[in-house]
C-alpha cells in the first residue's frame, strides 16, 4: 500500500518533468534553452519514472537493471547535448536579440 | 484508464505520426516524425507481447533507418530541386492510397475470422522440443521456416550489392563529427556495452526474445557510433568478408543438410541446436556488417572521383 503510494508519487513527478520538458522544447526560443529543457526530461523525468519502476519491481536485481537503463540514457543524452552545443556555439547577446526580436 | 484505451491511444498516435511523416512539406520534420513513428510502433509490438519484433523495430526501424535518413538528408544539399508534386507524384500517391485502402479493408475483413482459426501456435508448440531451441520465434525463423530467413539474408546482401554497383567508393564516407574527447569517452563506454548486449541477444535468442537480427542491429549501432567518432574497428577486407559470411554459412548449412538428411535445411535429429547457433552467429555478423556499410559507404564517391579525373 505504502509502496504503491510511493510509486504513484514518483511516476507523477516523472510525468510532470516530461511534460514540462516537452512544452519547453516547443516554446523556448533558441537551441541552448531547448537543450536545457531536454536535460530536465532526461535526468529528472526518466529518473523518477525509472526509480518508480525499480521500487515497483519484484526484486533488487530487476530494480538495479532499470536504474542502469537510466544511467545509460543519461550518458548518451549528455554527450549528445554537449556535441550539439559545441557544434552551434552560443551567440552573443546582441546577435541573439537581432535574431529573435 | 483501461488497457484498451491505452492501446487505442498509442495506435492513434502512430497513425498521426505516420500521416505527418508522409505529408510534411519539410523533409527534416518528416524524418523526425518517421523516427518517432518507429519508436511508437516498437511500443505497440511490445504491447502485443511480441518483444522480438519490438527490439528489431526500435533498433532497425527507428535507430539505423533514422541514421541513414539523416545522413542522406545532409547530402541532398539544397532542398530546392526536391519539390514534391507533379503528375507522376500524384499518380504514385493515388496508387499507394488505393492499395493501402484495399489492404486495410482486407485486414479488417480477415480480423473478423481471427477467432475461428486457432492459427499454427499449437503445431509450433508441439514441435518445439525437437526444434533445438526454446524460443518459438527462433524456432520458426531458423528451423520451421529457415528458408524464409535464408532468403532474407539474400535480400540484405543484394541491397549491399546494389548499392555498391551504383558507384560506391570503397573509401568510407566523411560523415564524422569533430574529434572530441567527450565523444571518445562515450565510445569507450558504449561500444563494449553494445558488443555485450548484441552477444547476449544472440545467445538469449535460443530461449527468450532475441536472435541474429537484434544482435546484428546492436553491433551495427556500435560500428556506426565508432564511425561517427572516427575510430576504425574493422578493415575493409574484414567488412567485405563479414558481409557474405552469413549467406555463405546459411547456404552451406542448407547444402550440408541436403547431403546428410536429404532435405535442405532439415537439421539432423538432435543436433538442431548447434546448427542454428552456427547459422545465427554468421548471420548476425553479416547483418551488422551490411547495415553498417549502408550507413558508412560513400554512395557516388566513385562518381565524384571519376568527375574529378575527367577534369
Amino acid at each position: 500500500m505504502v509502496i504503491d503510494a510511493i510509486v504513484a508519487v514518483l511516476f507523477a513527478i516523472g510525468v510532470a518533468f516530461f511534460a514540462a520538458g516537452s512544452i519547453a522544447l516547443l516554446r523556448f526560443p533558441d537551441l541552448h534553452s531547448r537543450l536545457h529543457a531536454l536535460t530536465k526530461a532526461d535526468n529528472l523525468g526518466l529518473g523518477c519514472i525509472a526509480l518508480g519502476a525499480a521500487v515497483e519491481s519484484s526484486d533488487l536485481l530487476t530494480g538495479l537493471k532499470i536504474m542502469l537503463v537510466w544511467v545509460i540514457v543519461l550518458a548518451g543524452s549528455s554527450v549528445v547535448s554537449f556535441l550539439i552545443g559545441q557544434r552551434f556555439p552560443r551567440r552573443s547577446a546582441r546577435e541573439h536579440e537581432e535574431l529573435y526580436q | 484508464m483501461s488497457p484498451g484505451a491505452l492501446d487505442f491511444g498509442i495506435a492513434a498516435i502512430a497513425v498521426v505520426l505516420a500521416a505527418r511523416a508522409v505529408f510534411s512539406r519539410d523533409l527534416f520534420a518528416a524524418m523526425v516524425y518517421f523516427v518517432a513513428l518507429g519508436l511508437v510502433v516498437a511500443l505497440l509490438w511490445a504491447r502485443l507481447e511480441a518483444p522480438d519484433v519490438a527490439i528489431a523495430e526500435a533498433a532497425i526501424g527507428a535507430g539505423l533507418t533514422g541514421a541513414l535518413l539523416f545522413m542522406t538528408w545532409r547530402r541532398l544539399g539544397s532542398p530546392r530541386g526536391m519539390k514534391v508534386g507533379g503528375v507522376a507524384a500524384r499518380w504514385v500517391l493515388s496508387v499507394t492510397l488505393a492499395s493501402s485502402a484495399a489492404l486495410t479493408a482486407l485486414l479488417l475483413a480477415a480480423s473478423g475470422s481471427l477467432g475461428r482459426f486457432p492459427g499454427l501456435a499449437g503445431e509450433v508448440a508441439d514441435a518445439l522440443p525437437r526444434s533445438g531451441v526454446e524460443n518459438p520465434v527462433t524456432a520458426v525463423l531458423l528451423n520451421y521456416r529457415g528458408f524464409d530467413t535464408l532468403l532474407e539474408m539474400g535480400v540484405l546482401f543484394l541491397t549491399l550489392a546494389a548499392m555498391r554497383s551504383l558507384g560506391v567508393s570503397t573509401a568510407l564516407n566523411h560523415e564524422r563529427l569533430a574529434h572530441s574527447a567527450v565523444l571518445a569517452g562515450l565510445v569507450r563506454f558504449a561500444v563494449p556495452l553494445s558488443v555485450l548486449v548484441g552477444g547476449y541477444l544472440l545467445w538469449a535468442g535460443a530461449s527468450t526474445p532475441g536472435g541474429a537480427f537484434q544482435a546484428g542491429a546492436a553491433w551495427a549501432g556500435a560500428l556506426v557510433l565508432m564511425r561517427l567518432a572516427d575510430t576504425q574497428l574493422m578493415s575493409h577486407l574484414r567488412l567485405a568478408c563479414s558481409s557474405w559470411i552469413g549467406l555463405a554459412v546459411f547456404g552451406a548449412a542448407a547444402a550440408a543438410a541436403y547431403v546428410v538428411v536429404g532435405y535442405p535445411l532439415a537439421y539432423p535429429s538432435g543436433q538442431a541446436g548447434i546448427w542454428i547457433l552456427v547459422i545465427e552467429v554468421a548471420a548476425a555478423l553479416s547483418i551488422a556488417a551490411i547495415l553498417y556499410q549502408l550507413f558508412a559507404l560513400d554512395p557516388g564517391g566513385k562518381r565524384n572521383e571519376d568527375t574529378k579525373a575527367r577534369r
Side-chain angles (χ1 to χ4, degrees), chain B residues 287-302:
Chain B
I287 290 163
I290 292 173
L291 290 177
Y292 166 66
Q293 286 176 89
L294 293 183
F295 174 82
L297 284 178
D298 192 1
K302 205 178 248 169

Side-chain angles (χ1 to χ4, degrees), chain B residues 106-154:
Chain B
L106 280 173
L107 283 173
L108 278 177
S111 69
S113 61
L114 267 180
R116 274 185 281 139
F117 302 103
L120 293 171
E123 281 89 335
V124 168
D126 286 344
L128 202 55
R130 290 182 285 122
S131 70
V133 290
E134 292 155 39
N135 179 16
V137 177
T138 307
V140 171
L141 286 180
L142 269 305
N143 197 332
Y144 312 152
R145 303 291 305 170
F147 190 61
D148 294 354
T149 312
L150 174 62
L151 289 183
E152 271 173 34
M153 288 303 305

